[in-house]
Amino acid sequence: MGLWIGIIIVLFVLGSMMALKPSGIDQRLDNLRMMARRLQLNPKLITCPDWIKGKDNEYGRGMIGQYCLILEGTQLPHARYQVIDGQWRPDNSFVDMAVDNSKLAIPSAIRPSQNHTNTVVKKINFSLDKTPLDLPVSIEPFVKGLTTKANSIIIYWEDIAYVRPSTNPAYQQTLIETDLLALKEKLEKWALDMQKKP
């Protein structure tokens, strides 16, 4: 009887240890994000912004990967782009909520709206309009949006779909670095294009 109890305890402990082990997809995703960190792409998992189509192709639904490249000594316009038919298209609903100190602040007692006093509607940046993504075929279908501000360019994409066998059957761990280097190169090129064009 004592032998059976010992066997049950050992199986219970082994089962608990196996439950703690991350799945294959989680391990692949961890490898992808670790490589992105090494390449200074600063990955984060965030709630899908409300201007990007997320889970089930609905705006602002689910979680999405955000990879940010910081470019020292660069000043980029504040802009947002969505992917439409494999091209960057500016987000027409973009409003910059920054306060413009050069404008007169209207006291709240006579202000028509209680929102932001000096909300500035910035001119939409068209620098990348109709620019093809031209990213590796293993990344391009999962890219959803791009935003720039100050000295950073940020791409939003479903990085988990990149490592999932059902959505990327051609996944190979040896290609992660090559694909991420191509992504980084494109981000640098787009940032340069945005600086050249007004």
Side-chain angles (χ1 to χ4, degrees), residues 53-180:
K53 287 185 180 180
K55 188 176 179 183
D56 300 329
N57 219 19
E58 291 182 29
Y59 286 99
R61 186 155 184 232
M63 303 294 281
I64 197 163
Q66 168 187 293
Y67 286 50
C68 173
L69 179 63
I70 297 171
L71 303 162
E72 296 299 327
T74 303
Q75 186 62 39
L76 296 171
H78 200 169
R80 294 194 316 204
Y81 289 88
Q82 296 177 351
V83 178
I84 299 175
D85 298 328
Q87 299 176 333
W88 288 124
R89 298 308 312 263
D91 179 19
N92 295 332
S93 65
F94 179 56
V95 176
D96 188 358
M97 300 308 263
V99 174
D100 185 357
N101 292 328
S102 66
K103 297 201 182 213
L104 177 65
I106 301 170
S108 60
I110 56 173
R111 196 177 327 138
S113 168
Q114 293 296 328
N115 292 341
H116 295 275
T117 17
N118 299 330
T119 299
V120 179
V121 179
K122 296 278 187 174
K123 183 179 175 189
I124 296 172
N125 183 291
F126 291 100
S127 303
L128 299 180
D129 191 21
K130 296 188 179 177
T131 301
L133 294 184
D134 196 26
L135 289 167
V137 292
S138 53
I139 291 179
E140 189 169 319
F142 311 120
V143 173
K144 301 293 184 176
L146 178 88
T147 187
T148 58
K149 59 183 175 181
N151 65 344
S152 60
I153 182 164
I154 303 163
I155 194 162
Y156 300 91
W157 68 300
E158 295 174 336
D159 56 354
I160 194 162
Y162 175 84
V163 298
R164 194 177 284 145
S166 61
T167 51
N168 186 9
Y171 168 83
Q172 291 180 20
Q173 187 169 342
T174 55
L175 295 178
I176 290 176
E177 186 172 6
T178 307
D179 288 346
L180 288 177

Side-chain angles (χ1 to χ4, degrees), residues 8-86:
I8 290 171
I9 290 172
V10 168
L11 289 175
F12 177 76
V13 170
L14 285 175
S16 297
M17 288 172 37
M18 293 302 285
L20 294 174
K21 184 181 177 190
S23 71
I25 291 174
D26 289 339
Q27 290 175 0
R28 288 176 168 191
L29 189 56
D30 186 48
N31 288 339
L32 174 70
R33 290 181 179 160
M34 289 303 289
M35 180 61 71
R37 277 186 193 89
R38 276 187 235 125
L39 297 174
Q40 300 171 337
L41 286 172
N42 307 311
K44 267 194 223 177
L45 181 66
I46 62 164
T47 304
C48 186
D50 59 1
W51 56 278
I52 293 178
K53 287 185 180 180
K55 188 176 179 183
D56 300 329
N57 219 19
E58 291 182 29
Y59 286 99
R61 186 155 184 232
M63 303 294 281
I64 197 163
Q66 168 187 293
Y67 286 50
C68 173
L69 179 63
I70 297 171
L71 303 162
E72 296 299 327
T74 303
Q75 186 62 39
L76 296 171
H78 200 169
R80 294 194 316 204
Y81 289 88
Q82 296 177 351
V83 178
I84 299 175
D85 298 328

